[in-house]
Amino acid sequence: LQKSLNEIFGADKYSRARKEVLTYMCSRPMQMALYFCTGVVEDETLFRHYALNVPFYTHFTSPIRRYADIIVHRLLSASLGASPPIKMEKEDIQRQAEHCNDRKMASKRVQELSGDLFFSIFVRVR
């Protein structure tokens, strides 16, 4: 797909932007990862990472990026005995996860609308 996009869009001043927007639009249907607290979820199939084919999976990035990553770092640190347990009930962690999911989905929606707007302008100009 990437090779086809590179070949189609040429080298004018808008080619890179067109390619980025269409690449994004092609990847949009992929399922978005959700945060949840394993202590309140009974369905262990939700812990699985389909593409990696592993039964238990957690993902996080640098804790300076997102609050959810701070929580994951703290929980992992506590589970390894490197720090004391965090003082949050599992229901509170789940509420925080749901809030992070809500914010992430709202951000993604704004990003999608922005891409749609750019694409609409592109189509109108062309």
Side-chain angles (χ1 to χ4, degrees):
L1 179 63
Q2 191 68 37
K3 183 179 176 188
S4 296
L5 290 173
N6 286 338
E7 291 173 2
I8 289 172
F9 291 118
D12 68 359
K13 65 181 182 176
Y14 298 112
S15 62
R16 183 172 179 214
R18 285 192 305 268
K19 184 176 73 173
E20 286 181 23
V21 169
L22 288 176
T23 300
Y24 169 75
M25 291 174 84
C26 289
S27 66
R28 186 188 306 184
M30 297 172 75
Q31 183 179 5
M32 196 163 89
L34 296 174
Y35 297 110
F36 60 89
C37 177
T38 58
V40 299
V41 176
E42 293 182 19
D43 183 4
E44 287 191 9
T45 62
L46 295 174
F47 305 170
R48 177 174 193 77
H49 191 289
Y50 177 79
L52 296 177
N53 194 27
V54 292
F56 297 101
Y57 178 82
T58 190
H59 173 81
F60 56 93
T61 61
S62 169
I64 63 170
R65 289 191 61 205
R66 293 182 289 244
Y67 183 68
D69 297 320
I70 292 172
I71 297 296
V72 172
H73 274 257
R74 289 177 182 169
L75 289 168
L76 285 173
S77 180
S79 71
L80 295 171
S83 64
I86 65 173
K87 296 179 183 187
M88 289 177 75
E89 297 294 323
K90 60 186 174 184
E91 293 79 15
D92 295 328
I93 294 170
Q94 180 60 28
R95 275 193 292 281
Q96 287 296 323
E98 289 168 1
H99 178 73
C100 289
N101 290 333
D102 290 343
R103 297 295 86 216
K104 186 166 73 165
M105 284 185 210
S107 173
K108 183 169 177 56
R109 183 69 181 136
V110 169
Q111 182 181 11
E112 288 171 353
L113 291 171
S114 174
D116 291 348
L117 176 63
F118 178 83
F119 188 68
S120 298
I121 291 169
F122 166 73
V123 169
R124 183 189 302 163
V125 170
R126 294 291 174 188

